[in-house]
Amino acid sequence: MVQIELRLRARGYDLEFVHDGLAVATVDARQLDASSTGGFLGLWLGACASSAASAPRGELAIMTFEYAPVGDEE
């Protein structure tokens, strides 16, 4: 089994997905605020795996999950 660590760093409306110290993706979260959606938007953050409409060929196991508020980064 291959293990990777993926972090989510949030600064204002910018959400960065970080692996090995490098940002691998950045998302603009402004589309998710209440004024953009026309009301309250519940937001859940978690892992999701997809086979993109193909037959599944593997497994995803979440070994650990840790929430660290701003300022507690390693």
Side-chain angles (χ1 to χ4, degrees), residues 40-66:
F40 174 76
L41 175 70
L43 181 64
W44 287 80
L45 178 66
C48 176
S50 171
S51 61
S54 298
R57 296 180 300 187
E59 295 179 5
L60 171 67
I62 306 298
M63 306 306 284
T64 60
F65 178 84
E66 179 181 336

Side-chain angles (χ1 to χ4, degrees), residues 8-17 25-29 32 43 45:
L8 176 68
R9 182 171 36 211
R11 290 198 168 49
Y13 285 111
D14 292 331
L15 305 179
E16 286 184 326
F17 294 90
T26 302
V27 177
D28 181 352
L32 302 176
L43 181 64
L45 178 66

Side-chain angles (χ1 to χ4, degrees), residues 1-7 18-20 59-65:
M1 177 186 331
V2 175
Q3 293 187 19
I4 65 166
E5 180 178 299
L6 183 65
R7 292 176 173 225
V18 180
H19 175 65
D20 283 341
E59 295 179 5
L60 171 67
I62 306 298
M63 306 306 284
T64 60
F65 178 84

